[in-house]
Amino acid sequence: MKVAVTLLLCGLAFIAASPTITPFKHFKEHFGKRYATTSEERYRESVFQQNQQFIADHNDKFVNGEVTYTLAMNQFGDMTTEEINSAMNGYLGSSSSSSSSSRRVIQQQMADTDLPDKVDWRPKGAVTSVKDQKQCGSCWAFSTTGSLEGQHFLSTGKLVSLSEQNLVDCSGNYGELGCLGGFMDNAFKYIEENGGIDTEDSYPYEAMNDKCRYNPDNSGATVSGFVDVKRNDESELKKAVANVGPISVAIDASRPTFHFYHDGIYYDPSCSSVMLDHGVLAVGYGTDNNNGGGDFWLVKNSWNSTWGNSGYINMSRNKDNNCGIASQASYPTV
């Protein structure tokens, strides 16, 4: 049984049905991979095999009860850890935080109240479908639109998908670098002073820096300000997620365990709470004691639904701010 479970978790169950199709060939076909030269393809196959072994070794630990989450092959299978971090993680971190803190940003420490044990804003209608930033360091833009989409919905009752490309193209004067990175608070400030942000339909995503084409006639939401949740405090983040809605958060997503996360509650002791490189969206929290997991944050990523648990990850909660999820949390006001 353990062997069968491990094969399934590694995404290798197709081997039994198609013994002539190698795992790498299946990977290429499934994700539409093409390589310019034979040497490039050989190199990518070797990277794939290393990642495949890493996933298998980790899932053996899960079967043995040593870890609380599983890994699976995904679209990053032919990329090194360094390549994934360079292409996918674009949160600029504390260097941008210091510049935005001089603007009209406030620290809000909410009053203690009885909070629900579980929160999930998705069935309440406050969360759009999982998006795909592709190989562009625009995670900050997706985190920004995610929290604003939630606040706009809770204010108006209408869920409107907002344009990340608008932010990528137009917020350079606010310290944002498009596909080279950015910071959610700066994006909130841009939307506030710009008078709005266009809808996704009117200004679709391109995964590249382009000319600014904001059109106020196509604006889907506005911002009146933004709030920084008390730093490094998971209890304050819990209050914000419960009382406010989906919250923009920054995390350390540099570990290969994160890159190939599949299911369960993610905890990596080597994950930093200070060196943050990826913007995501906290849309809920809860507790799952299966496999020793415990408390978790429900987090929406922007790496397509082929990543993680249909685009989501359960990140450990109340474990010393693992991966820095409470280090730089914020949300817009509308």
Side-chain angles (χ1 to χ4, degrees):
M1 176 61 71
K2 288 185 178 181
V3 173
V5 170
T6 301
L7 287 175
L8 179 60
L9 295 176
C10 293
L12 302 180
F14 62 86
I15 293 177
S18 306
T20 61
I21 300 179
T22 67
F24 184 61
K25 184 175 180 180
H26 182 273
F27 166 81
K28 289 192 302 176
E29 293 177 350
H30 184 72
F31 292 107
K33 299 284 185 171
R34 300 290 184 271
Y35 307 104
T37 65
T38 301
S39 60
E40 171 70 7
E41 179 159 343
R42 288 173 179 168
Y43 172 70
R44 292 301 164 188
E45 183 171 10
S46 69
V47 172
F48 170 85
Q49 291 171 345
Q50 293 175 48
N51 286 329
Q52 187 180 54
Q53 187 61 54
F54 174 78
I55 292 168
D57 291 344
H58 176 94
N59 288 337
D60 283 343
K61 294 179 182 178
F62 175 80
V63 171
N64 293 330
E66 300 173 45
V67 294
T68 57
Y69 61 100
T70 61
L71 306 182
M73 185 56 68
N74 58 32
Q75 66 267 35
F76 304 130
D78 61 350
M79 300 172 67
T80 66
T81 299
E82 294 73 21
E83 287 173 331
I84 298 170
N85 287 332
S86 177
M88 305 305 299
N89 297 341
Y91 178 77
L92 293 181
S94 58
S95 61
S96 290
S97 175
S98 61
S99 66
S100 66
S101 63
S102 64
R103 302 191 182 113
R104 190 171 56 82
V105 185
I106 64 173
Q107 294 279 40
Q108 176 165 310
Q109 186 166 357
M110 300 176 183
D112 288 328
T113 58
D114 291 330
L115 300 176
D117 293 332
K118 177 181 179 181
V119 169
D120 185 348
W121 286 102
R122 295 176 299 178
K124 300 176 182 180
V127 184
T128 57
S129 60
V130 172
K131 302 181 182 182
D132 186 2
Q133 71 184 73
K134 302 180 181 178
Q135 291 192 26
C136 165
S138 56
C139 57
W140 57 274
F142 287 83
S143 178
T144 298
T145 58
S147 53
L148 180 52
E149 287 163 351
Q151 290 307 297
H152 182 77
F153 168 80
L154 293 170
S155 175
T156 68
K158 298 179 180 179
L159 183 62
V160 179
S161 184
L162 301 173
S163 173
E164 295 79 23
Q165 192 65 42
N166 183 171
L167 297 177
V168 168
D169 294 343
C170 304
S171 58
N173 290 338
Y174 292 78
E176 312 290 46
L177 302 177
C179 283
L180 296 179
F183 184 63
M184 286 79 83
D185 281 5
N186 292 354
F188 295 142
K189 190 66 175 176
Y190 158 75
I191 299 169
E192 177 187 2
E193 296 189 351
N194 187 58
I197 178 175
D198 281 348
T199 65
E200 190 90 60
D201 287 342
S202 67
Y203 202 149
Y205 188 63
E206 300 173 353
M208 60 181 288
N209 294 353
D210 204 345
K211 180 177 65 176
C212 180
R213 304 182 301 282
Y214 170 76
N215 184 341
D217 292 339
N218 297 324
S219 178
T222 59
V223 167
S224 62
F226 54 99
V227 174
D228 283 344
V229 179
K230 185 180 179 183
R231 301 306 190 202
N232 307 312
D233 191 329
E234 289 191 78
S235 65
E236 288 299 309
L237 179 56
K238 180 182 179 182
K239 295 173 188 176
V241 172
N243 294 322
V244 176
I247 303 294
S248 290
V249 294
I251 59 172
D252 174 11
S254 66
R255 311 303 301 163
T257 51
F258 187 91
H259 300 159
F260 295 104
Y261 167 84
H262 175 60
D263 198 12
I265 298 182
Y266 179 78
Y267 174 75
D268 190 325
S270 64
C271 205
S272 175
S273 61
V274 178
M275 303 300 292
L276 313 179
D277 60 9
H278 191 47
V280 289
L281 188 70
V283 302
Y285 61 80
T287 301
D288 184 355
N289 290 318
N290 291 330
N291 302 306
D295 297 339
F296 66 87
W297 297 106
L298 175 61
V299 174
K300 180 188 180 185
N301 200 359
S302 53
W303 290 355
N304 205 328
S305 59
T306 55
W307 177 88
N309 189 346
S310 299
Y312 285 84
I313 179 172
N314 290 339
M315 300 189 68
S316 58
R317 180 166 61 92
N318 298 327
K319 283 193 174 181
D320 297 322
N321 191 25
N322 190 240
C323 296
I325 193 165
S327 298
Q328 294 280 349
S330 62
Y331 60 89
T333 55
V334 299

